[in-house]
């Protein structure tokens, strides 16, 4: 299982990708990722957010 920071990193990356890879916003993406993951843990998450992380993680693994 991924360490907590790795999950946050993957989610922040997915958010960055979803926003079109802007030059700025890393801190905001990180905070948003933390909030989304907390919501998932509390049972308030929506499936598209989880899918976005899977997509970003796969892209990171394959270099695309």
């Amino acid at each position: 299982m991924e360490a907590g920071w790795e999950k946050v990193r993957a989610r922040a990356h997915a958010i960055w990708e979803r926003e079109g890879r802007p030059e700025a916003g890393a801190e905001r993406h990180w905070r948003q990722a933390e909030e989304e993951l907390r919501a998932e843990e509390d049972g308030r998450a929506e499936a598209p957010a989880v899918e976005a992380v899977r997509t970003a993680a796969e892209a990171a693994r394959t270099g695309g």
Side-chain angles (χ1 to χ4, degrees):
M1 185 165 173
E2 287 182 302
W5 67 269
E6 289 174 335
K7 287 183 180 181
V8 176
R9 184 193 56 76
R11 178 64 57 94
H13 183 81
I15 293 166
W16 175 72
E17 290 272 343
R18 198 169 52 223
E19 291 185 359
R21 299 178 177 187
E23 290 292 321
E27 291 178 13
R28 181 178 52 80
H29 295 144
W30 191 272
R31 284 190 308 271
Q32 183 177 344
E34 289 175 321
E35 290 171 12
E36 288 180 7
L37 289 167
R38 262 194 300 276
E40 285 180 12
E41 290 173 2
D42 293 344
R44 296 178 282 130
E46 296 180 14
V50 173
E51 188 58 35
V53 168
R54 288 187 188 130
T55 301
E58 180 62 27
R61 280 194 297 276
T62 61

